Amino acid sequence: MSISLAKKQTISLDKEADTGLCRIRMGLGWDPIKPSGFFGKLMNSDTAVDLDASCIVVDSDQRPVDVVWFRQLTSSDGLIAHSGDNRTGDGSGDDETISVNLEALSSNIKHLVFTVNSFLGQTFEKVGNAYCRIVDDVTGKELARFNLSDQGDHTGMIMAYLTRTASGWDVTAVGQRSNGRTVADLGNEAVAAVSA
């Protein structure tokens, strides 16, 4: 059973995995909120919401050194990979995933910051059942889940970040509202989140 994280909560992923944690997968899932009532349905026939998961790689000097998102599906070292762009949020399970080979990452990598933003500028008022989760990519065990229930007029969010420690990797839930349509718009806030 995975841990359901609250904002600002940190846990050890290695302890949750019960084995040597080699690879993880961050899954992002969401559903578009369906309009209700006759006029709601009439005025809003297109309910698709295009959210985008991204990963900002931060080194031990708190500098962003790489980014993985729908326009760059693999990190420069090939160790972080994006599943591709889901433009609707339809279907069950994870809509977008980012896989990370933790075991092979350079020792200079300190943080992996996971963000989400609305490329089309739709606000989180139109998003329901959003979550991010961390899965052991070897065993398939879900280690942690963070519900992104903070609806509002924002178009982006710093979801969570992983931190390399002496004993392995920790995950911290952030849930910080932001604005912007691409990961480039969230870069400074992402680095500030791990520095706080």
Side-chain angles (χ1 to χ4, degrees), residues 80-136:
I80 305 172
H82 194 295
S83 63
D85 193 16
N86 179 319
R87 297 181 180 183
T88 65
D90 287 336
S92 60
D94 299 337
D95 294 306
E96 293 189 9
T97 62
I98 298 175
S99 300
V100 183
N101 184 341
L102 295 174
E103 190 175 48
L105 282 179
S106 165
S107 60
N108 189 43
I109 302 306
K110 178 76 173 172
H111 302 285
L112 302 173
V113 185
F114 295 106
T115 67
V116 60
N117 55 280
S118 171
F119 183 71
L120 298 177
Q122 295 159 306
T123 68
F124 274 71
E125 292 167 326
K126 298 185 181 303
V127 177
N129 305 319
Y131 67 86
C132 72
R133 66 187 191 125
I134 305 294
V135 176
D136 183 331

